[in-house]
Amino acid sequence: MAYIILFGAGVGVGFISSLLFKYAGLDVDNLQNLECCLFVLFPYFSYMLAEGIGLSGIVSILFTGIVMKHYTFSNLSENSQRFSAAFFHLISSLAETFVFIYMGFDIAMEQHSWSHVGFIFFSILFIVVARAANVFSCACLVNLVRPTHRQIPMKHQKALWYSGLRGAMAFALALQSVHDLPEGHGQTIFTATTAIVVLTVLLIGGSTGTLLEKLEVVGDMHDDSLGEGFPTNNGHITSSYEEGASSGSRLKMRLQELHRNAASFSTLDRKYLTPFFTSQNDDDSDPGSRKGKERAE
């Protein structure tokens, strides 16, 4: 129930922002500063709304960001779009730099507990196993739906499994556990998390490029084909796949249904949601009027 409320709050704030920027007329020259400020502050409003009702603001702001990127960003003026993209890129770079500096200080200054080396070892082992179970099982399910020429190759699955990094979020939660959990337990978790973060970021992150070259993933000729959309027929899976699917396979039928639902949502978004929440279709649908405006200007 809590996640439904968070989803509703995040998506609702995102939709409200898209309608505001569509009809408020903030794209004039003397209001572009206000337009950019409101665009930056709307996600924070979603965060405060979720925190105010005692739920996770991070989850709420995630849904708001997805909706605002898809709908609200299209309603901004060109100058505001460029400024907002550059601003968020700058903020993300500063936040990433600050996080690693903060991690370095805390690793050096916090008191660690190395009395449970076995716990640290098995934590790393279980994370690797859980990552493998997650990646390979999900890739298997995806390959059941996709036609042969669009299936995820095993070398790509290996690259996805190997490149699972742990960083700022895990470190922040572990650091909070030092104060929330009884004495000794929080320090053990913090020490184990620190070891995992350092191992994954430095060792795995530093060797990911070499692994991609060894697996011949970088520069793969099949990258373009993997990025193409599903071959569909009015929102359904192609007939060649339907003929080859086993009638007794319930799993394939479920995945097929999910694929149809995804295609139906894409159609709904393209025909109804995007025209309603954005103004880009109105501009694209009347090129003559747009050219007339440019000539008048």
Side-chain angles (χ1 to χ4, degrees):
M1 186 62 183
Y3 282 101
I4 296 177
I5 297 176
L6 287 172
F7 175 80
V11 172
V13 172
F15 282 146
I16 292 173
S17 68
S18 64
L19 293 176
L20 172 67
F21 286 99
K22 180 180 180 180
Y23 295 109
L26 300 175
D27 54 347
V28 294
D29 292 337
N30 57 341
L31 292 179
Q32 286 184 357
N33 289 336
L34 176 61
E35 183 182 26
C36 295
C37 290
L38 289 177
F39 184 77
V40 173
L41 291 177
F42 251 100
Y44 186 69
F45 173 71
S46 173
Y47 177 87
M48 295 301 297
L49 177 63
E51 290 291 334
I53 59 179
L55 299 176
S56 174
I58 297 177
V59 178
S60 177
I61 204 174
L62 171 65
F63 293 117
T64 303
I66 294 173
V67 175
M68 291 186 67
K69 174 60 179 177
H70 190 64
Y71 299 107
T72 310
F73 187 78
S74 302
N75 296 329
L76 299 178
S77 61
E78 293 184 3
N79 291 333
S80 297
Q81 287 182 357
R82 288 194 293 267
F83 174 82
S84 300
F87 175 77
F88 281 111
H89 180 72
L90 173 64
I91 291 298
S92 63
S93 299
L94 289 176
E96 182 179 359
T97 303
F98 172 77
V99 164
F100 279 101
I101 293 175
Y102 184 70
M103 286 173 58
F105 274 109
D106 271 352
I107 291 174
M109 298 177 64
E110 285 287 339
Q111 184 177 0
H112 298 276
S113 176
W114 298 100
S115 58
H116 298 81
V117 180
F119 175 77
I120 299 174
F121 172 78
F122 282 106
S123 298
I124 297 174
L125 178 62
F126 290 151
I127 284 176
V128 173
V129 174
R131 174 80 178 181
N134 182 22
V135 171
F136 293 116
S137 61
C138 291
C140 180
L141 294 177
V142 170
N143 289 338
L144 287 176
V145 176
R146 289 187 174 184
T148 304
H149 68 282
R150 293 208 64 250
Q151 292 188 354
I152 303 176
M154 180 55 66
K155 58 183 179 181
H156 288 196
Q157 298 180 32
K158 293 179 180 178
L160 289 172
W161 163 71
Y162 184 79
S163 58
L165 306 181
R166 269 71 181 180
M169 185 60 66
F171 184 83
L173 294 175
L175 185 61
Q176 186 65 30
S177 68
V178 175
H179 307 284
D180 294 343
L181 297 181
E183 184 177 358
H185 299 289
Q187 292 180 351
T188 301
I189 293 178
F190 176 72
T191 303
T193 305
T194 301
I196 293 170
V197 170
V198 173
L199 174 67
T200 56
V201 172
L202 297 182
L203 180 60
I204 298 179
S207 60
T208 298
T210 304
L211 177 70
L212 295 179
E213 294 178 356
K214 295 293 184 181
L215 293 175
E216 299 180 354
V217 174
V218 178
D220 193 352
M221 296 300 294
H222 299 287
D223 287 345
D224 295 337
S225 62
L226 288 173
E228 298 174 355
F230 284 2
T232 58
N233 182 15
N234 295 329
H236 297 280
I237 300 178
T238 54
S239 58
S240 61
Y241 174 76
E242 291 179 350
E243 292 174 358
S246 174
S247 60
S249 178
R250 295 183 179 179
L251 179 59
K252 287 187 178 182
M253 294 299 294
R254 283 291 183 87
L255 294 174
Q256 180 180 353
E257 183 180 356
L258 290 175
H259 179 84
R260 290 174 178 172
N261 292 336
S264 300
F265 177 78
S266 299
T267 304
L268 174 67
D269 175 60
R270 184 176 63 255
K271 290 185 177 180
Y272 301 103
L273 295 180
T274 298
F276 181 78
F277 288 105
T278 68
S279 56
Q280 58 183 2
N281 281 19
D282 298 336
D283 297 337
D284 296 339
S285 62
D286 194 2
S289 62
R290 188 173 63 254
K291 291 182 180 179
K293 291 181 181 179
E294 294 176 355
R295 290 176 181 176
E297 292 175 356

